[in-house]
Amino acid sequence: MSIENLARANVRALTPYQSARRLGGSGDVWLNANEFPQAPEYQLTLQTLNRYPECQPKQVITRYADYAGLTPEQVLVSRGADEGIELLIRAFCEPGKDAILFCPPTYGMYSVSAETFGVERRTAQSTADWQLDMDSIERQLDGVKLVYVCSPNNPTGNLVRQEDLRRLLELTRGTALVVIDEAYIEFSPQATAVSWLADYPHLVILRTLSKAFALAGLRCGFTLANEDVIALLLKVIAPYPLSLPVADIAAQALSEQGLERMRQNVAEVVENRRWLAQQLDALPCVEQVFPSASNYLLVRFTPDSHAFQTLWDEGIILRDQSKQPGLAYSLRITVGNQYECERLVDALRRLPGINN
Ligand code: PMP
């Protein structure tokens, strides 16, 4: 008997998330994972590696609470926002009975996490301007426990309209949690829904140190919600979810100095994004550059340009989005540093397009 047959049926059928790292490639310009282009330098200050770490390191929690304008009881820290996505499913969804709902094109882990736990997935595809299709969502809410909404949305880069989010929160009161994934919110800080936690006991917000804080390699994210929700998540989280070095560096990243560095990162990305969008807009192989509230640009290319493969072969690695609904010929391009943006534009200039 093969070991494969011992696995749960849904795990046998599962296609794992195709992360940028898993997809591989060999290049020197990596613009496929929405990382910050430069590594910050941190030193370890805690030396007590013989001891288990705190489950929820106090300094990390209080500093994040201060940064977000919340109380420590409203903050949970985990192994990236990805673990937050999964903990919510484990705490709130009965496999084979409850469902989650999300709005493609969007981040892939809501679907993969639900599938792993045997939880039904429903989708309400976004409208042509990538806003929520409120009618479709409303029709499908029966049996839904979690609605995941990503804003700014990955990979389209737009913010979701606040009035729609409010309406969604009204529709789900008492029946489901609304999870707003704010992984990229530092690039549009005015759009955060964090102050709404006072009005909605069923609102959850996901955050991360992977993007604007330039710490994707650290694996540290946050779930913000009211105390009752956090208490439930603490029941299902691992006993030691963060290693001591992670807690050590996360606390430093959330110090006054760390926050200042993050704001500089954001300013640099916004400036490079403006330059890159302008350059891309003028290229013959580019059909459309979509406005972005984030650290990446979604770009639709001409059908004959073969931009993804050509640049891949040149060592410039982008993220192909063409399999996502409504995103034919579209690539997601992380805003890199100035050198990376220039390399990209130079390479794209050589591709065929409507003006050639
Ligand atoms: N949400 C979105 C929208 C993301 O793009 C990402 C990063 N790929 C995550 C969550 C996960 O972030 P983390 O690195 O904190 O697990």
Coordinates of all heavy atoms in Angstrom, one line a residue, residues 215-307:
L215 N 10.9 42.8 6.2 CA 11.3 41.6 7.0 C 10.6 40.3 6.5 O 10.2 39.5 7.4 CB 11.1 41.9 8.4 CG 12.0 42.9 9.1 CD1 11.5 43.4 10.5 CD2 13.4 42.4 9.2
A216 N 10.5 40.1 5.2 CA 9.8 38.9 4.8 C 10.5 37.6 5.3 O 9.8 36.6 5.6 CB 9.7 38.9 3.2
G217 N 11.8 37.7 5.4 CA 12.5 36.5 5.9 C 12.3 36.2 7.4 O 12.7 35.2 7.9
L218 N 11.8 37.2 8.1 CA 11.6 37.0 9.6 C 10.4 36.1 9.9 O 10.5 35.4 10.8 CB 11.4 38.4 10.2 CG 11.5 38.5 11.7 CD1 12.8 38.1 12.3 CD2 11.1 39.9 12.2
R219 N 9.4 36.2 9.0 CA 8.1 35.4 9.2 C 7.4 35.9 10.5 O 7.4 35.3 11.5 CB 8.3 33.9 9.3 CG 9.1 33.3 8.2 CD 8.6 33.7 6.8 NE 7.2 33.3 6.6 CZ 6.2 34.1 6.2 NH1 6.5 35.4 6.0 NH2 5.0 33.7 6.1
C220 N 6.9 37.1 10.4 CA 6.2 37.7 11.6 C 5.0 38.5 11.1 O 5.2 39.4 10.3 CB 7.2 38.6 12.4 SG 6.4 39.2 13.9
G221 N 3.8 38.2 11.6 CA 2.6 38.9 11.2 C 1.7 39.0 12.4 O 1.9 38.5 13.5
F222 N 0.6 39.8 12.2 CA -0.3 40.1 13.3 C -1.7 40.0 12.9 O -2.1 40.2 11.7 CB 0.0 41.6 13.7 CG 1.3 41.8 14.3 CD1 2.4 42.1 13.4 CD2 1.6 41.7 15.6 CE1 3.7 42.2 13.9 CE2 2.9 41.8 16.1 CZ 3.9 42.1 15.2
T223 N -2.6 39.6 13.8 CA -4.0 39.5 13.7 C -4.6 40.5 14.7 O -4.3 40.4 15.9 CB -4.6 38.1 13.9 OG1 -3.9 37.2 13.0 CG2 -6.1 38.1 13.7
L224 N -5.4 41.5 14.2 CA -6.0 42.5 15.1 C -7.4 42.3 15.1 O -8.1 42.1 14.1 CB -5.7 43.9 14.5 CG -4.2 44.2 14.0 CD1 -4.1 45.6 13.5 CD2 -3.3 44.0 15.2
A225 N -8.0 42.2 16.3 CA -9.4 41.9 16.4 C -9.8 42.3 17.9 O -9.0 42.6 18.7 CB -9.8 40.5 16.1
N226 N -11.1 42.1 18.2 CA -11.5 42.3 19.5 C -11.1 41.2 20.4 O -10.8 40.1 19.9 CB -13.0 42.7 19.6 CG -13.2 44.1 19.2 OD1 -12.7 45.1 19.8 ND2 -13.9 44.3 18.1
E227 N -11.1 41.4 21.7 CA -10.5 40.5 22.7 C -11.1 39.0 22.5 O -10.4 38.1 22.6 CB -10.8 41.0 24.1 CG -9.8 40.5 25.1 CD -10.0 41.2 26.4 OE1 -10.4 42.4 26.5 OE2 -9.7 40.5 27.4
D228 N -12.4 38.9 22.3 CA -13.0 37.6 22.2 C -12.5 36.8 21.1 O -12.2 35.6 21.2 CB -14.6 37.7 22.0 CG -15.3 38.4 23.1 OD1 -14.6 38.6 24.1 OD2 -16.5 38.6 23.0
V229 N -12.2 37.4 19.9 CA -11.7 36.7 18.8 C -10.3 36.3 19.1 O -9.9 35.2 18.8 CB -11.7 37.6 17.5 CG1 -11.0 37.0 16.3 CG2 -13.2 38.0 17.1
I230 N -9.5 37.2 19.6 CA -8.1 36.9 19.9 C -8.0 35.7 20.9 O -7.2 34.8 20.7 CB -7.3 38.2 20.5 CG1 -7.3 39.3 19.4 CG2 -5.9 37.8 20.9 CD1 -6.6 39.1 18.2
A231 N -8.9 35.7 21.9 CA -8.8 34.7 22.9 C -9.1 33.3 22.2 O -8.4 32.3 22.6 CB -9.9 34.9 24.0
L232 N -10.0 33.3 21.3 CA -10.2 32.0 20.6 C -9.0 31.6 19.7 O -8.7 30.4 19.7 CB -11.5 32.1 19.7 CG -12.8 32.1 20.4 CD1 -13.9 32.7 19.5 CD2 -13.2 30.7 20.8
L233 N -8.4 32.5 19.1 CA -7.2 32.2 18.3 C -6.1 31.7 19.2 O -5.3 30.8 18.8 CB -6.8 33.4 17.4 CG -7.8 33.9 16.4 CD1 -7.2 35.1 15.7 CD2 -8.2 32.8 15.4
L234 N -6.0 32.2 20.4 CA -4.9 31.8 21.3 C -5.1 30.3 21.7 O -4.2 29.7 22.2 CB -4.9 32.7 22.5 CG -4.2 34.1 22.2 CD1 -4.4 35.0 23.4 CD2 -2.7 33.9 21.9
K235 N -6.4 29.9 21.6 CA -6.6 28.4 22.0 C -6.0 27.5 20.9 O -5.7 26.3 21.3 CB -8.1 28.2 22.0 CG -8.8 28.7 23.2 CD -10.3 28.4 23.1 CE -10.9 28.0 24.5 NZ -12.3 27.5 24.4
V236 N -5.9 27.9 19.7 CA -5.5 27.0 18.6 C -4.1 27.2 18.1 O -3.5 26.4 17.4 CB -6.5 27.0 17.4 CG1 -7.9 26.6 17.8 CG2 -6.5 28.3 16.7
I237 N -3.5 28.3 18.6 CA -2.1 28.6 18.1 C -1.1 27.6 18.8 O -1.4 27.1 19.8 CB -1.7 30.1 18.4 CG1 -0.6 30.6 17.5 CG2 -1.4 30.3 19.9 CD1 -0.4 32.1 17.5
A238 N 0.0 27.4 18.1 CA 1.1 26.5 18.7 C 1.6 27.1 20.0 O 1.5 28.3 20.2 CB 2.2 26.4 17.7
P239 N 2.1 26.3 20.9 CA 2.6 26.8 22.2 C 3.7 27.8 22.0 O 3.8 28.8 22.8 CB 3.1 25.6 22.9 CG 3.0 24.4 22.0 CD 2.2 24.8 20.8
Y240 N 4.6 27.7 21.0 CA 5.7 28.6 20.8 C 5.8 29.0 19.4 O 6.7 28.6 18.6 CB 7.0 27.9 21.2 CG 7.0 27.3 22.6 CD1 6.9 25.9 22.7 CD2 6.9 28.1 23.7 CE1 6.9 25.3 24.0 CE2 6.8 27.5 25.0 CZ 6.8 26.1 25.1 OH 6.7 25.5 26.3
P241 N 4.9 29.8 18.9 CA 4.8 30.1 17.5 C 6.0 30.9 16.9 O 6.3 30.8 15.7 CB 3.5 30.9 17.3 CG 3.2 31.4 18.7 CD 3.8 30.5 19.7
L242 N 6.6 31.7 17.8 CA 7.7 32.6 17.3 C 9.0 32.1 18.0 O 9.0 32.0 19.2 CB 7.5 34.0 17.6 CG 6.3 34.8 17.1 CD1 6.5 36.3 17.4 CD2 6.1 34.5 15.6
S243 N 10.1 32.0 17.2 CA 11.4 31.7 17.9 C 11.9 33.0 18.5 O 11.5 34.1 18.2 CB 12.4 31.2 16.8 OG 12.7 32.3 16.0
L244 N 12.8 32.8 19.5 CA 13.3 33.9 20.2 C 14.0 35.0 19.3 O 13.7 36.2 19.5 CB 14.3 33.4 21.2 CG 14.8 34.5 22.3 CD1 13.7 34.6 23.3 CD2 16.1 34.0 22.9
P245 N 14.8 34.6 18.3 CA 15.4 35.6 17.4 C 14.3 36.4 16.7 O 14.5 37.6 16.4 CB 16.2 34.8 16.4 CG 16.6 33.5 17.2 CD 15.4 33.2 18.0
V246 N 13.2 35.8 16.3 CA 12.1 36.5 15.6 C 11.5 37.5 16.5 O 11.3 38.7 16.1 CB 11.0 35.5 15.1 CG1 9.8 36.3 14.6 CG2 11.6 34.6 14.0
A247 N 11.2 37.2 17.8 CA 10.6 38.1 18.7 C 11.6 39.3 19.0 O 11.2 40.4 19.1 CB 10.3 37.4 20.0
D248 N 12.9 38.9 19.1 CA 13.9 39.9 19.4 C 13.9 41.0 18.3 O 13.9 42.2 18.5 CB 15.3 39.2 19.4 CG 16.4 40.0 19.9 OD1 16.3 41.3 20.0 OD2 17.6 39.5 20.0
I249 N 14.0 40.5 17.0 CA 14.1 41.5 15.9 C 12.8 42.2 15.6 O 12.8 43.4 15.3 CB 14.6 40.7 14.6 CG1 16.1 40.3 14.9 CG2 14.5 41.6 13.4 CD1 16.6 39.3 13.9
A250 N 11.7 41.5 15.8 CA 10.4 42.1 15.6 C 10.2 43.3 16.6 O 9.7 44.4 16.2 CB 9.2 41.1 15.8
A251 N 10.6 43.1 17.8 CA 10.5 44.2 18.8 C 11.4 45.4 18.4 O 10.9 46.6 18.5 CB 11.0 43.7 20.2
Q252 N 12.6 45.1 17.8 CA 13.4 46.2 17.4 C 12.8 47.0 16.2 O 12.8 48.2 16.0 CB 14.8 45.7 17.0 CG 15.6 45.1 18.1 CD 16.9 44.5 17.6 OE1 17.7 45.2 16.9 NE2 17.1 43.3 18.0
A253 N 12.1 46.2 15.3 CA 11.5 46.7 14.1 C 10.3 47.6 14.5 O 10.0 48.5 13.7 CB 11.0 45.6 13.1
L254 N 9.8 47.4 15.6 CA 8.6 48.2 16.1 C 9.0 49.3 17.0 O 8.1 50.0 17.6 CB 7.6 47.3 16.7 CG 6.9 46.3 15.7 CD1 6.2 45.2 16.4 CD2 6.0 47.0 14.7
S255 N 10.3 49.5 17.3 CA 10.7 50.6 18.1 C 10.5 51.9 17.3 O 10.3 51.9 16.1 CB 12.2 50.5 18.4 OG 13.0 50.6 17.2
E256 N 10.7 53.1 17.9 CA 10.5 54.4 17.2 C 11.4 54.4 16.0 O 11.0 54.8 14.9 CB 10.9 55.5 18.2 CG 9.7 56.1 18.9 CD 8.5 56.3 18.1 OE1 8.6 57.0 17.0 OE2 7.4 55.9 18.4
Q257 N 12.7 54.0 16.2 CA 13.7 54.0 15.1 C 13.2 53.0 14.0 O 13.4 53.4 12.8 CB 15.0 53.5 15.7 CG 16.2 54.1 15.1 CD 17.5 53.5 15.7 OE1 17.4 52.8 16.7 NE2 18.6 53.8 15.1
G258 N 12.7 51.9 14.4 CA 12.3 50.9 13.4 C 11.1 51.4 12.6 O 11.0 51.3 11.3
L259 N 10.2 52.1 13.2 CA 9.0 52.7 12.5 C 9.5 53.8 11.6 O 9.0 53.9 10.5 CB 8.0 53.3 13.5 CG 7.3 52.2 14.4 CD1 6.4 52.9 15.4 CD2 6.5 51.2 13.6
E260 N 10.5 54.6 12.0 CA 11.0 55.6 11.2 C 11.6 55.0 9.9 O 11.4 55.5 8.8 CB 12.0 56.5 12.0 CG 12.6 57.6 11.2 CD 11.6 58.5 10.5 OE1 10.5 58.7 11.1 OE2 11.8 59.0 9.4
R261 N 12.4 53.9 10.1 CA 13.0 53.3 8.9 C 11.9 52.7 8.0 O 12.0 52.8 6.8 CB 13.8 52.1 9.4 CG 14.6 51.4 8.3 CD 15.1 50.0 8.8 NE 15.9 50.2 10.0 CZ 17.1 49.6 10.1 NH1 17.6 48.9 9.2 NH2 17.8 49.8 11.2
M262 N 10.8 52.2 8.6 CA 9.7 51.7 7.7 C 9.1 52.8 6.9 O 8.8 52.6 5.7 CB 8.7 51.0 8.6 CG 7.4 50.5 7.9 SD 6.2 51.8 7.7 CE 5.5 51.9 9.3
R263 N 9.0 54.0 7.5 CA 8.3 55.1 6.8 C 9.3 55.6 5.6 O 8.8 55.9 4.6 CB 8.0 56.2 7.7 CG 6.9 55.8 8.6 CD 6.3 57.0 9.5 NE 5.3 56.4 10.4 CZ 5.6 56.2 11.7 NH1 6.7 56.6 12.3 NH2 4.6 55.6 12.5
Q264 N 10.6 55.5 5.9 CA 11.5 55.8 4.8 C 11.4 54.7 3.7 O 11.4 55.1 2.5 CB 13.0 55.8 5.3 CG 13.3 57.0 6.1 CD 14.7 56.8 6.8 OE1 15.4 55.9 6.5 NE2 14.9 57.7 7.8
N265 N 11.2 53.5 4.0 CA 11.1 52.4 3.0 C 9.8 52.8 2.2 O 9.9 52.7 0.9 CB 10.8 51.1 3.7 CG 12.0 50.5 4.4 OD1 13.1 51.0 4.3 ND2 11.7 49.5 5.3
V266 N 8.8 53.1 2.8 CA 7.5 53.4 2.1 C 7.7 54.6 1.1 O 7.3 54.5 -0.1 CB 6.4 53.7 3.1 CG1 5.1 54.3 2.3 CG2 6.0 52.5 3.8
A267 N 8.4 55.7 1.6 CA 8.6 56.8 0.7 C 9.5 56.4 -0.5 O 9.2 56.9 -1.6 CB 9.3 57.9 1.6
E268 N 10.5 55.6 -0.3 CA 11.3 55.2 -1.4 C 10.5 54.4 -2.4 O 10.6 54.6 -3.6 CB 12.5 54.3 -0.8 CG 13.5 53.9 -1.9 CD 14.6 53.0 -1.3 OE1 15.0 53.2 -0.1 OE2 15.0 52.1 -2.0
V269 N 9.7 53.4 -1.9 CA 8.8 52.6 -2.8 C 7.9 53.5 -3.6 O 7.7 53.3 -4.8 CB 8.1 51.5 -2.0 CG1 7.0 50.9 -2.9 CG2 9.0 50.5 -1.5
V270 N 7.3 54.5 -2.9 CA 6.3 55.3 -3.6 C 6.9 56.1 -4.7 O 6.4 56.3 -5.8 CB 5.5 56.2 -2.6 CG1 4.7 57.3 -3.2 CG2 4.6 55.4 -1.7
E271 N 8.1 56.6 -4.4 CA 8.8 57.4 -5.4 C 9.2 56.5 -6.6 O 9.0 56.9 -7.8 CB 10.1 58.0 -4.8 CG 11.0 58.8 -5.8 CD 10.3 59.8 -6.6 OE1 9.3 60.4 -6.2 OE2 10.8 60.1 -7.7
N272 N 9.8 55.3 -6.4 CA 10.1 54.4 -7.5 C 8.9 53.9 -8.2 O 9.0 53.7 -9.4 CB 10.9 53.2 -6.9 CG 12.3 53.6 -6.5 OD1 12.8 54.7 -6.8 ND2 13.0 52.8 -5.7
R273 N 7.8 53.8 -7.5 CA 6.6 53.3 -8.2 C 6.1 54.3 -9.2 O 5.7 54.0 -10.3 CB 5.5 53.1 -7.1 CG 4.2 52.5 -7.6 CD 3.2 52.3 -6.5 NE 2.7 53.5 -6.1 CZ 2.1 53.8 -4.9 NH1 1.9 52.8 -4.0 NH2 1.6 54.9 -4.6
R274 N 6.2 55.6 -8.8 CA 5.8 56.7 -9.7 C 6.6 56.7 -10.9 O 6.1 56.7 -12.1 CB 5.9 58.0 -8.9 CG 5.4 59.3 -9.6 CD 5.9 60.6 -9.0 NE 7.3 60.6 -9.0 CZ 8.1 60.9 -10.1 NH1 7.5 61.1 -11.2 NH2 9.4 60.9 -10.0
W275 N 7.9 56.6 -10.8 CA 8.8 56.6 -11.9 C 8.6 55.4 -12.8 O 8.5 55.5 -14.0 CB 10.3 56.5 -11.4 CG 11.3 56.6 -12.5 CD1 11.8 57.7 -13.1 CD2 11.9 55.5 -13.2 NE1 12.7 57.4 -14.1 CE2 12.8 56.0 -14.1 CE3 11.8 54.1 -13.1 CZ2 13.6 55.2 -15.0 CZ3 12.6 53.3 -13.9 CH2 13.4 53.9 -14.9
L276 N 8.4 54.2 -12.2 CA 8.3 53.0 -12.9 C 7.0 53.0 -13.7 O 6.9 52.6 -14.9 CB 8.3 51.8 -12.0 CG 8.2 50.4 -12.6 CD1 9.3 50.1 -13.6 CD2 8.2 49.3 -11.6
A277 N 5.9 53.4 -13.1 CA 4.6 53.5 -13.8 C 4.6 54.4 -15.0 O 4.1 54.0 -16.1 CB 3.5 53.9 -12.8
Q278 N 5.3 55.5 -14.8 CA 5.5 56.4 -15.9 C 6.2 55.8 -17.1 O 5.8 55.9 -18.3 CB 6.2 57.7 -15.4 CG 6.0 58.9 -16.1 CD 6.7 60.1 -15.4 OE1 7.8 59.8 -14.7 NE2 6.1 61.2 -15.4
Q279 N 7.3 55.2 -16.8 CA 8.2 54.5 -17.8 C 7.4 53.4 -18.5 O 7.4 53.3 -19.8 CB 9.4 53.9 -17.2 CG 10.4 55.0 -16.6 CD 11.0 55.9 -17.6 OE1 11.5 55.4 -18.6 NE2 10.9 57.2 -17.3
L280 N 6.7 52.6 -17.7 CA 6.0 51.4 -18.3 C 4.9 51.9 -19.2 O 4.7 51.3 -20.3 CB 5.4 50.5 -17.2 CG 6.4 49.8 -16.3 CD1 5.7 49.1 -15.2 CD2 7.2 48.8 -17.1
D281 N 4.2 52.9 -18.8 CA 3.1 53.5 -19.6 C 3.5 53.8 -21.0 O 2.7 53.7 -21.9 CB 2.6 54.7 -18.9 CG 1.1 54.7 -18.7 OD1 0.5 53.7 -19.1 OD2 0.6 55.7 -18.0
A282 N 4.8 54.2 -21.2 CA 5.3 54.7 -22.5 C 5.8 53.6 -23.4 O 6.2 53.8 -24.5 CB 6.4 55.7 -22.3
L283 N 5.8 52.3 -22.9 CA 6.4 51.2 -23.7 C 5.4 50.6 -24.6 O 4.2 50.4 -24.3 CB 6.9 50.1 -22.7 CG 8.1 50.5 -21.8 CD1 8.4 49.3 -20.9 CD2 9.3 50.9 -22.6
P284 N 5.9 50.3 -25.8 CA 5.0 49.7 -26.8 C 4.4 48.4 -26.4 O 3.2 48.1 -26.7 CB 5.9 49.5 -28.0 CG 7.1 50.3 -27.8 CD 7.2 50.5 -26.4
C285 N 5.1 47.6 -25.6 CA 4.6 46.2 -25.2 C 3.6 46.3 -24.1 O 3.0 45.3 -23.7 CB 5.7 45.3 -24.8 SG 6.6 45.9 -23.4
V286 N 3.4 47.5 -23.5 CA 2.5 47.6 -22.4 C 1.1 48.2 -22.8 O 1.0 49.2 -23.5 CB 3.1 48.5 -21.3 CG1 2.1 48.9 -20.2 CG2 4.3 47.9 -20.6
E287 N 0.1 47.4 -22.5 CA -1.3 47.9 -22.8 C -1.8 48.8 -21.7 O -2.4 49.8 -21.9 CB -2.2 46.7 -23.0 CG -2.4 46.3 -24.4 CD -3.4 45.3 -24.6 OE1 -4.3 45.0 -23.7 OE2 -3.4 44.6 -25.7
Q288 N -1.6 48.4 -20.4 CA -2.2 49.2 -19.3 C -1.4 48.9 -18.0 O -1.0 47.8 -17.7 CB -3.6 48.8 -19.1 CG -4.3 49.8 -18.2 CD -5.8 49.6 -18.2 OE1 -6.4 48.8 -18.9 NE2 -6.5 50.5 -17.4
V289 N -1.1 50.0 -17.4 CA -0.5 50.0 -16.0 C -1.6 50.4 -15.1 O -2.2 51.5 -15.2 CB 0.7 51.0 -15.9 CG1 1.3 50.9 -14.5 CG2 1.7 50.7 -16.9
F290 N -2.0 49.5 -14.1 CA -3.1 49.8 -13.2 C -2.6 50.6 -12.1 O -1.5 50.4 -11.6 CB -3.8 48.6 -12.8 CG -4.5 47.8 -13.9 CD1 -3.8 46.9 -14.6 CD2 -5.7 48.2 -14.3 CE1 -4.4 46.2 -15.7 CE2 -6.3 47.6 -15.4 CZ -5.7 46.6 -16.1
P291 N -3.4 51.6 -11.6 CA -3.0 52.4 -10.4 C -2.8 51.5 -9.2 O -3.5 50.5 -9.1 CB -4.2 53.3 -10.2 CG -5.1 53.2 -11.3 CD -4.7 51.9 -12.1
S292 N -1.8 51.8 -8.4 CA -1.4 51.0 -7.3 C -1.4 51.7 -6.0 O -0.8 52.8 -5.9 CB -0.1 50.3 -7.5 OG 0.3 49.6 -6.3
A293 N -2.0 51.2 -4.9 CA -1.9 51.7 -3.6 C -0.9 50.9 -2.8 O -1.0 50.9 -1.5 CB -3.3 51.6 -2.9
S294 N 0.0 50.2 -3.5 CA 0.8 49.2 -2.8 C 2.3 49.2 -3.3 O 2.7 50.2 -3.9 CB 0.2 47.8 -3.1 OG 0.6 46.9 -2.1
N295 N 3.0 48.1 -3.1 CA 4.4 48.2 -3.5 C 4.7 47.3 -4.8 O 5.8 46.8 -5.0 CB 5.4 47.7 -2.4 CG 5.2 46.2 -2.1 OD1 4.2 45.6 -2.4 ND2 6.2 45.6 -1.4
Y296 N 3.6 47.2 -5.6 CA 3.7 46.4 -6.8 C 2.8 47.1 -7.8 O 1.9 47.8 -7.5 CB 3.4 45.0 -6.6 CG 2.1 44.8 -5.9 CD1 0.9 44.8 -6.5 CD2 2.1 44.7 -4.5 CE1 -0.3 44.6 -5.8 CE2 0.9 44.6 -3.8 CZ -0.3 44.5 -4.5 OH -1.5 44.4 -3.8
L297 N 3.1 46.8 -9.1 CA 2.2 47.3 -10.2 C 1.6 46.1 -10.9 O 2.4 45.2 -11.3 CB 3.0 48.2 -11.1 CG 3.4 49.5 -10.6 CD1 4.5 50.2 -11.5 CD2 2.3 50.5 -10.4
L298 N 0.4 46.1 -11.2 CA -0.2 45.1 -12.1 C -0.2 45.8 -13.5 O -0.6 46.9 -13.7 CB -1.6 44.8 -11.7 CG -2.3 43.7 -12.6 CD1 -1.7 42.3 -12.3 CD2 -3.8 43.7 -12.5
V299 N 0.4 45.0 -14.5 CA 0.6 45.5 -15.8 C 0.0 44.5 -16.8 O 0.4 43.3 -16.8 CB 2.1 45.8 -16.1 CG1 2.3 46.4 -17.5 CG2 2.7 46.6 -15.0
R300 N -0.8 45.0 -17.8 CA -1.3 44.2 -18.8 C -0.4 44.4 -20.1 O -0.3 45.6 -20.5 CB -2.8 44.3 -19.1 CG -3.3 43.2 -20.0 CD -4.8 43.2 -20.2 NE -5.2 44.4 -20.8 CZ -6.2 45.2 -20.4 NH1 -6.8 44.9 -19.3 NH2 -6.5 46.3 -21.1
F301 N 0.1 43.4 -20.6 CA 1.0 43.5 -21.8 C 0.2 43.1 -23.1 O -0.9 42.5 -23.0 CB 2.2 42.5 -21.6 CG 3.2 43.0 -20.6 CD1 3.0 42.7 -19.3 CD2 4.3 43.8 -21.0 CE1 3.9 43.2 -18.3 CE2 5.1 44.3 -20.0 CZ 4.9 44.0 -18.7
T302 N 0.8 43.5 -24.2 CA 0.2 43.1 -25.5 C 0.3 41.6 -25.7 O 1.3 41.0 -25.2 CB 0.9 43.8 -26.7 OG1 2.3 43.5 -26.6 CG2 0.7 45.3 -26.6
P303 N -0.6 40.9 -26.3 CA -0.6 39.5 -26.4 C 0.7 38.9 -27.1 O 1.1 37.8 -26.7 CB -1.8 39.2 -27.3 CG -2.7 40.3 -27.1 CD -1.8 41.5 -26.9
D304 N 1.3 39.7 -27.9 CA 2.5 39.1 -28.6 C 3.8 39.5 -27.9 O 4.9 39.2 -28.4 CB 2.6 39.7 -30.1 CG 2.7 41.2 -30.1 OD1 2.5 41.8 -29.0 OD2 3.1 41.8 -31.1
S305 N 3.8 40.0 -26.7 CA 5.0 40.5 -26.1 C 5.8 39.4 -25.4 O 7.1 39.5 -25.3 CB 4.7 41.6 -25.1 OG 4.0 41.1 -24.1
H306 N 5.2 38.4 -24.9 CA 5.8 37.3 -24.2 C 6.8 37.8 -23.1 O 7.9 37.3 -23.0 CB 6.6 36.3 -25.1 CG 5.7 35.8 -26.2 ND1 4.7 34.9 -26.0 CD2 5.6 36.1 -27.5 CE1 4.0 34.7 -27.1 NE2 4.6 35.4 -28.1
A307 N 6.3 38.8 -22.4 CA 7.2 39.5 -21.5 C 7.7 38.6 -20.3 O 8.9 38.6 -20.0 CB 6.4 40.7 -20.9

